[in-house]
Amino acid sequence: EADIYQTPRYLVIGTGKKITLECSQTMGHDKMYWYQQDPGMELHLIHYSYGVNSTEKGDLSSESTVSRIRTEHFPLTLESARPSHTSQYLCASSDPTGTGNTIYFGEGSWLTVV
Amino acid sequence: GNSVTQMEGPVTLSEEAFLTINCTYTATGYPSLFWYVQYPGEGLQLLLKATKADDKGSNKGFEATYRKETTSFHLEKGSVQVSDSAVYFCALRGVSGNTPLVFGKGTRLSVIA
């Protein structure tokens, strides 16, 4: 059972609002990821981090930003939300040592921008 | 670069039918291979994995064998249940271990009673 938590699970916000999606894991994993999942199910990597103070952009360009000040915490922020940001956002973490490089996912945050 | 191709859905089966979801990959060396499952309204859960050629991953009646010669990792289950209805993702992790997972596009499975 993976210990990775996302909040909020569901959120509806207005255009132009700032929103931060929280992600925390209690497994001490160095690597964390944010994926965006479109309605057609496909997953797109938007950000990842290999440790504290390390952040990288993923394959899909995103207007969001991330930070990694503590190992267990990897929040994603949208400074000015738009309807095109409506999607499900999945946070994940992994530790390559002794786990076969398995990635564990949170339950996701469903964001709707109106 | 690394990539994963899985069969497009949706797949609709009757209960107790045999399931195969095809997955092939492109990668150098011997990547780790995974199947993840996403039930409605939830995040992804690891279903099974294999880290070297000829390994068979298995869980909850599902199986997949890492075939290096055909670069495949097809998911199978002998008798599906309604509770297996979900989206299934095949994924790959490169040999360096320092790269994020690469996912296929997902296959939606619906099992009807």
Side-chain angles (χ1 to χ4, degrees), chain A residues 9-10 31 33 35 37 41-43 45 48 50 88 90 94 99-103 105-107, chain B residues 32 34 36 38 41-44 46 49 51 87 89 93 97-101 103 105-106 108:
Chain A
R9 289 292 316 279
Y10 303 94
K31 298 180 182 178
Y33 313 86
Y35 288 86
Q37 185 172 30
M41 304 179 306
E42 191 167 359
L43 290 156
L45 179 68
Y48 60 100
Y50 286 162
Q88 183 182 27
L90 294 168
S94 72
T99 60
N101 292 326
T102 300
I103 289 184
F105 283 83
E107 291 190 320
Chain B
S32 296
F34 305 83
Y36 281 83
Q38 185 177 31
E42 298 184 12
L44 274 70
L46 177 67
K49 67 181 181 185
T51 57
V87 180
F89 291 90
R93 188 107 182 235
N98 230 21
T99 54
L101 276 181
F103 284 93
K105 293 187 177 182
R108 185 178 301 279

Side-chain angles (χ1 to χ4, degrees), chain B residues 2-15:
Chain B
N2 297 337
S3 67
V4 173
T5 303
Q6 65 182 102
M7 65 184 283
E8 293 190 21
V11 174
T12 303
L13 295 173
S14 298
E15 212 165 19

Side-chain angles (χ1 to χ4, degrees), chain A residues 7-99:
Chain A
T7 57
R9 289 292 316 279
Y10 303 94
L11 181 67
V12 180
I13 61 171
T15 298
K17 298 293 186 184
K18 178 180 179 179
I19 177 66
T20 295
L21 304 179
E22 302 288 348
C23 176
S24 296
Q25 50 93 7
T26 58
M27 298 172 282
H29 289 171
D30 287 329
K31 298 180 182 178
M32 297 189 74
Y33 313 86
W34 276 104
Y35 288 86
Q36 184 174 344
Q37 185 172 30
D38 62 28
M41 304 179 306
E42 191 167 359
L43 290 156
H44 303 283
L45 179 68
I46 51 176
H47 297 284
Y48 60 100
S49 166
Y50 286 162
V52 170
N53 294 325
S54 149
T55 60
E56 303 285 344
K57 289 188 180 297
D59 304 323
L60 181 69
S61 174
S62 173
E63 294 164 339
S64 58
T65 59
V66 291
S67 62
R68 190 86 184 278
I69 298 173
R70 291 181 287 141
T71 297
E72 62 271 22
H73 196 212
F74 191 42
L76 180 144
T77 297
L78 281 165
E79 290 291 336
S80 179
R82 294 207 303 269
S84 60
H85 295 139
T86 295
S87 189
Q88 183 182 27
Y89 294 85
L90 294 168
C91 181
S93 72
S94 72
D95 180 353
T97 60
T99 60

Side-chain angles (χ1 to χ4, degrees), chain B:
Chain B
N2 297 337
S3 67
V4 173
T5 303
Q6 65 182 102
M7 65 184 283
E8 293 190 21
V11 174
T12 303
L13 295 173
S14 298
E15 212 165 19
E16 300 183 4
F18 185 87
L19 168 72
T20 299
I21 300 178
N22 289 338
C23 172
T24 57
Y25 69 88
T26 301
T28 54
Y30 291 82
S32 296
L33 301 173
F34 305 83
W35 276 100
Y36 281 83
V37 58
Q38 185 177 31
Y39 298 104
E42 298 184 12
L44 274 70
Q45 302 174 26
L46 177 67
L47 181 59
L48 53 85
K49 67 181 181 185
T51 57
K52 60 182 187 294
D54 300 324
D55 265 3
K56 178 186 284 188
S58 61
N59 185 26
K60 300 181 181 179
F62 290 90
E63 293 183 341
T65 301
Y66 188 143
R67 301 283 188 203
K68 179 66 175 175
E69 64 275 15
T70 54
T71 61
S72 65
F73 194 54
H74 305 321
L75 182 69
E76 296 181 336
K77 186 173 184 181
S79 176
V80 294
Q81 305 300 312
V82 172
S83 57
D84 294 327
S85 298
V87 180
Y88 293 82
F89 291 90
C90 186
L92 170 157
R93 188 107 182 235
V95 293
S96 72
N98 230 21
T99 54
L101 276 181
V102 175
F103 284 93
K105 293 187 177 182
T107 302
R108 185 178 301 279
L109 170 66
S110 296
V111 181
I112 54 178

